């Protein structure tokens, strides 16, 4: 059986990652290529419990502990769910993966992108996405979108503007360094345009995404 495909969606909060992930999963299913949608951190019980720790605004989690918790959640998800599903040919869409830690903990927290890359390589056993869709949005616009939802901000969303500027810059650098894997999409475009751009970016690895 051919190995499955791992597609990740990255970007700042408010960029529309979850919206794109749901639309992409629905479109692929309609085209006869069912895809499983997984959030990250999460996806399996251990990782979901770690997620609750990570987003709790009442907990003063240190940067290194934060990075290790994300890596632990990712390690469990990879071994318990991702690798077995991929081995059976599944198409998986992840709302965030290791690139998030490179940007948020490596750059945002100042722990070093290279150091966090080593940590996550260990956590995932070297698993890399077949394609990453990076939704690019100005940090201020993303934050405004989140505020408009009128939901209480989680622990990371309470950070200052400089934190998100560093993350946005890190994402741009990652995309420049890996243009064959990371495709940048304009998150300010209408949702249907974003979906069309995402399908075009996936056409090389998923025949169902090809036009016609």
């Amino acid at each position: 059986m051919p190995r499955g495909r791992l597609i990740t969606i990255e970007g700042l909060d408010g960029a529309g990652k979850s919206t794109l992930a749901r639309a992409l999963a629905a479109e692929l299913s309609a085209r006869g290529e069912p895809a499983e949608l997984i959030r990250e951190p999460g996806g399996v019980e251990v990782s979901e419990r770690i997620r609750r720790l990570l987003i709790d605004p009442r907990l003063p989690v240190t940067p290194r502990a934060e990075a290790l918790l994300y890596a632990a959640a990712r390690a469990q998800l990879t071994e318990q769910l991702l690798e077995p599903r991929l081995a059976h040919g599944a198409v998986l869409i992840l709302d965030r993966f290791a690139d998030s830690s490179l940007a948020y903990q490596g750059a945002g927290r100042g722990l070093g992108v290279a150091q966090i890359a080593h940590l996550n390589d260990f956590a995932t056993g070297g698993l890399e996405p077949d394609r990453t869709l990076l939704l690019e949005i100005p940090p201020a616009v993303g934050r405004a979108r989140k505020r408009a939802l009128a939901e209480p901000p989680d622990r990371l969303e309470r950070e200052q503007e400089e934190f998100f500027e560093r993350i946005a810059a890190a994402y741009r650098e990652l995309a420049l360094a890996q243009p064959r894997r990371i495709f940048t999409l304009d998150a300010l475009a209408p949702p249907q345009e974003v979906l069309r751009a995402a399908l075009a970016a996936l056409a090389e690895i998923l025949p169902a995404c090809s036009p016609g």
Side-chain angles (χ1 to χ4, degrees):
M1 176 180 293
R3 183 171 171 82
R5 295 295 190 177
L6 178 61
I7 301 161
T8 60
I9 301 178
E10 293 284 355
L12 293 166
D13 287 324
K17 296 181 305 302
S18 298
T19 298
L20 174 59
R22 290 191 295 269
L24 188 56
E27 183 66 23
L28 288 175
S29 180
R31 295 182 180 212
E33 185 75 82
E36 185 173 354
L37 181 56
I38 304 163
R39 73 174 181 177
E40 215 261 16
V44 295
E45 183 58 31
V46 169
S47 303
E48 289 289 343
R49 293 190 187 191
I50 294 172
R51 180 189 181 92
R52 291 196 286 273
L53 293 174
L54 284 164
I55 66 175
D56 191 338
R58 300 168 298 178
L59 295 178
V61 182
T62 66
R64 284 186 175 82
E66 180 180 274
L68 289 165
L69 285 168
Y70 276 109
R74 197 163 287 133
Q76 185 72 27
L77 176 67
T78 298
E79 186 167 344
Q80 184 178 340
L81 191 153
L82 301 185
E83 285 290 7
R85 295 278 210 280
L86 291 169
H88 283 84
V91 175
L92 307 178
I93 301 174
L94 265 67
D95 189 341
R96 295 197 180 281
F97 195 51
D99 291 313
S100 282
S101 282
L102 304 188
Y104 276 76
Q105 283 73 54
R109 295 298 192 202
L111 296 177
V113 172
Q115 288 86 337
I116 299 301
H118 286 307
L119 174 63
N120 279 273
D121 187 60
F122 172 74
T124 65
L127 177 64
E128 286 195 356
D130 294 285
R131 187 71 88 237
T132 296
L133 306 174
L134 172 59
L135 287 169
E136 189 170 50
I137 192 170
V141 177
R143 287 164 70 77
R145 285 183 176 182
K146 291 295 291 185
R147 287 194 296 270
L149 297 176
E151 297 174 351
D154 65 27
R155 195 175 54 80
L156 286 173
E157 291 167 356
R158 292 170 180 255
E159 292 294 334
Q160 298 301 308
E161 198 70 30
E162 294 79 8
F163 177 70
F164 297 99
E165 292 286 356
R166 292 193 296 272
I167 293 166
Y171 271 132
R172 287 193 294 271
E173 291 176 9
L174 289 170
L176 287 172
Q178 301 183 64
R180 291 287 301 164
R181 175 174 70 86
I182 303 176
F183 284 63
T184 301
L185 310 180
D186 181 8
L188 298 179
Q192 280 302 314
E193 288 186 20
V194 176
L195 176 59
R196 282 195 292 271
L199 291 168
L202 297 175
E204 183 183 359
I205 63 169
L206 289 178
C209 295
S210 299

